[in-house]
Amino acid sequence: MKPQYKHELMTSFMLWFDHELLQEGEAYSNKTGTLYAQSDSRLPNSYISLQSNYKQWVNDSSITGEVDPIIPTEFEGSGRSSDIVFDFDNGRIIETGNTFSAGDELTGTFAVKDFNIYLTNETEEDLILENKFQINSRYGDLSMSGIEPYDQVVPAIFLNSEYMRNEGFAFGGEDLTKNIIKAVVISDSEYQLDGALSIFADTARKRFSKIPFSNHPSTEYGDVKGETYNYLSLASSYSSTAQYFIEDVTVSKFSERAQNKLPGNLKIGFIDFDVSTNRFPRS
């Protein structure tokens, strides 16, 4: 199936959301850590995965702050190439040639997001009650093997589009398409939770660019297409097209009493975005 409206909406929203949180909140920290050789059944047998203890790494070069994020370009002299893939989504590198061997360990520096960002189809209840997550350590390398590939790791924010409605807008078949995008924020501290909720409460009446699904900046292995990825440059290249408009934002969180009844020691919050755009769905 070719990409549809909802695919492009959620791709565009996730890229904007990630940039907004990193830039406005400086929601990242630079880490120096070890990458450990790890098996991955999804990769070809000849590939070697070297996994860190953190997910996800920052890959957006437009992010600046009091301390800029360190976006890795090499590990111990070996940079990105046709044989070495930087999987920013999973916090690792993938070696496709003969640069490393299965027993190697590497040390490097990289920026780790305070909140990992995931698209999900799970309901809020399932995300909260199942609560089977790994936790990104803020206190150094606590594992000697790295986090398992594809494990979802908290603190994290899960994005889901739960509602869509087309309303007649103008003659000629133009509709106003309205969407509600829900974000479930799972944090390990009240400070981080309140920070994320505050940042996005202030995004009402903002706009973000429609980025085609085919122009998502990441490859199938989580690396960036081209030498670097810059969200502002990518978004500005589509600024002349119709944009998405955030009509309203509502934030809320569990009370302390309700939090204490949840499994684990995690803090939960919710963000509801009312998003609209003009389009011709029947043309």
Side-chain angles (χ1 to χ4, degrees):
M1 177 184 290
K2 66 180 182 180
Q4 300 298 310
Y5 166 79
K6 188 173 179 180
H7 298 132
E8 293 195 342
L9 166 66
M10 293 310 295
T11 294
S12 301
F13 183 81
M14 184 177 183
L15 294 174
W16 167 82
F17 188 98
D18 188 49
H19 178 271
E20 191 79 9
L21 182 60
L22 291 171
Q23 183 61 51
E24 297 301 323
E26 296 186 28
Y28 57 84
S29 55
N30 292 320
K31 303 284 188 181
T32 297
T34 302
L35 277 61
Y36 304 94
Q38 193 174 77
S39 61
D40 183 348
S41 60
R42 298 190 193 180
L43 296 176
N45 291 333
S46 60
Y47 288 15
I48 295 173
S49 169
L50 294 164
Q51 178 73 55
S52 74
N53 286 328
Y54 305 95
K55 299 182 183 182
Q56 302 157 351
W57 296 347
V58 176
N59 64 358
D60 181 359
S61 62
S62 70
I63 302 301
T64 58
E66 185 175 343
V67 177
D68 290 344
I70 296 174
I71 299 175
T73 57
E74 66 173 37
F75 284 88
E76 298 186 5
S78 297
R80 293 169 64 236
S81 66
S82 59
D83 291 340
I84 299 176
V85 175
F86 282 28
D87 183 354
F88 292 92
D89 291 341
N90 286 297
R92 65 177 178 173
I93 64 173
I94 301 170
E95 199 271 323
T96 65
N98 297 307
T99 305
F100 306 118
S101 60
D104 285 348
E105 294 182 1
L106 300 179
T107 300
T109 302
F110 37 82
V112 177
K113 298 178 184 179
D114 287 356
F115 287 93
N116 297 316
I117 311 297
Y118 299 104
L119 294 179
T120 185
N121 289 318
E122 292 189 74
T123 65
E124 297 171 352
E125 292 81 4
D126 288 343
L127 284 170
I128 295 167
L129 296 177
E130 288 186 9
N131 194 12
K132 297 177 181 178
F133 305 112
Q134 299 287 338
I135 297 179
N136 254 353
S137 171
R138 293 191 305 235
Y139 305 106
D141 289 348
L142 302 184
S143 167
M144 295 301 292
S145 60
I147 296 175
E148 287 295 318
Y150 318 113
D151 277 359
Q152 291 183 327
V153 177
V154 296
I157 302 177
F158 296 85
L159 306 175
N160 186 16
S161 175
E162 293 190 352
Y163 170 91
M164 174 177 166
R165 177 182 173 85
N166 289 326
E167 298 179 356
F169 183 75
F171 292 114
E174 185 176 14
D175 283 2
L176 180 66
T177 299
K178 294 188 173 184
N179 305 268
I180 295 177
I181 299 176
K182 291 183 175 291
V184 178
V185 185
I186 302 179
S187 179
D188 58 352
S189 77
E190 287 285 351
Y191 181 86
Q192 295 283 72
L193 175 62
D194 287 343
L197 297 182
S198 179
I199 288 169
F200 288 107
D202 291 339
T203 60
R205 268 76 70 189
K206 282 193 173 185
R207 299 179 184 270
F208 59 96
S209 294
K210 292 183 178 181
I211 298 174
F213 189 77
S214 60
N215 282 358
H216 192 284
S218 295
T219 68
E220 61 179 318
Y221 291 122
D223 205 345
V224 298
K225 299 175 181 176
E227 291 299 317
T228 61
Y229 157 58
N230 183 303
Y231 174 77
L232 294 180
S233 295
L234 179 62
S236 66
S237 65
Y238 295 100
S239 60
S240 61
T241 61
Q243 295 188 315
Y244 299 104
F245 178 64
I246 302 174
E247 295 183 354
D248 198 12
V249 180
T250 304
V251 302
S252 59
K253 64 179 182 178
F254 278 176
S255 66
E256 184 175 353
R257 182 177 180 181
Q259 301 267 19
N260 292 335
K261 295 181 180 179
L262 296 174
N265 190 31
L266 298 173
K267 315 302 179 185
I268 311 294
F270 307 95
I271 314 171
D272 289 356
F273 297 88
D274 296 331
V275 178
S276 64
T277 190
N278 295 73
R279 52 193 289 265
F280 294 85
R282 292 166 296 279
S283 62

